[in-house]
Amino acid sequence: MPRRHLLASFAALLSPLLGARKADAATTAGEAAWQLSEAEWRRRLSPAAFEVLRREGTERPFSSPLNQEKRAGTFSCAGCQLPLFSSKAKFDSGTGWPSFWQPLPTAIATRTDFKLLFPRTEYHCRRCGGHQGHVFADGPRPTGKRYCNNGVALTFKAD
C-alpha cells in the first residue's frame, strides 16, 4: 500500500477521535449536473488535472505557468469553468503554487483534511467538487489567508 494511502487510512480512523468536522455533502459533492463518472472526468481532463481535481493529488511546486500569471483576469476551475478567484486577490507566496488571499463569493466549499495526520482546511470547487488546494492562515492582509491552489486545477481568462 502506498504511504499516502496508508496515512490517509490512519487519518480516517483518527479523525472522529480528533473532532473532525463532517463535510456538508451539498457543499463538497458539487452540483448534481456535475456528478460525472470517473470515465467522463478522464475524457474531460488531462491526466494531471484528473489526478488533482478528482483524486486530490498535488502538482509539483513551481511547475504551473499560472504561478507567474500577472495579467488582470479570472482564475476558474479547470473541471467546470466556475470562476474561483480574481487576479486582484493573487499574490506571490513563494511556495511555488498560485496563491490568493480571497476566493470569489460562493465559489468554493471547504472541509477538514487529515491526510498528513494534522488538520488542514482543504477547498473544492463548489460546482463540480474538484479539489483545488488548501487554505493556510499565513497570507497577506486583509484576510490573512493563503489559498494555495494547484495550477493544473485552474484555467485563466484575461480581462
Side-chain angles (χ1 to χ4, degrees):
M1 175 184 287
R3 185 175 72 193
R4 179 183 184 133
H5 293 124
L6 179 65
L7 289 174
S9 298
F10 183 68
L13 290 172
L14 287 179
S15 63
L17 301 172
L18 297 172
R21 291 179 301 158
K22 285 206 171 206
D24 177 351
T27 62
T28 58
E31 294 176 8
W34 286 94
Q35 298 305 302
L36 306 178
S37 71
E38 182 173 326
E40 290 169 315
W41 280 118
R42 284 189 185 279
R43 281 193 297 275
R44 182 179 194 83
L45 302 169
S46 71
F50 179 84
E51 179 61 26
V52 169
L53 288 164
R54 308 317 308 169
R55 297 276 187 221
E56 299 180 346
T58 302
E59 70 186 355
R60 286 181 298 111
F62 302 101
S63 65
S64 173
L66 293 181
N67 194 39
Q68 299 302 318
E69 182 59 64
K70 308 271 190 240
R71 296 175 291 170
T74 304
F75 294 85
S76 299
C77 174
C80 69
Q81 296 306 309
L82 178 71
L84 301 177
F85 297 97
S86 166
S87 61
K88 293 174 186 168
K90 188 172 187 288
F91 70 100
D92 184 359
S93 66
T95 61
W97 291 281
S99 297
F100 306 87
W101 52 265
Q102 171 180 283
L104 293 171
T106 70
I108 65 166
T110 62
R111 70 175 179 213
T112 302
D113 163 8
F114 283 92
K115 290 182 188 111
L116 295 180
L117 300 181
F118 59 90
R120 297 185 299 169
T121 302
E122 179 179 288
Y123 64 96
H124 296 254
C125 170
R126 185 173 294 281
R127 181 190 286 161
C128 72
H131 173 74
Q132 295 293 321
H134 291 85
V135 172
F136 302 97
D138 61 1
R141 292 180 186 213
T143 63
K145 303 226 185 241
R146 173 173 51 100
Y147 291 81
C148 189
N149 218 101
N150 287 283
V152 73
L154 295 171
T155 60
F156 176 75
K157 183 176 180 191
D159 286 345

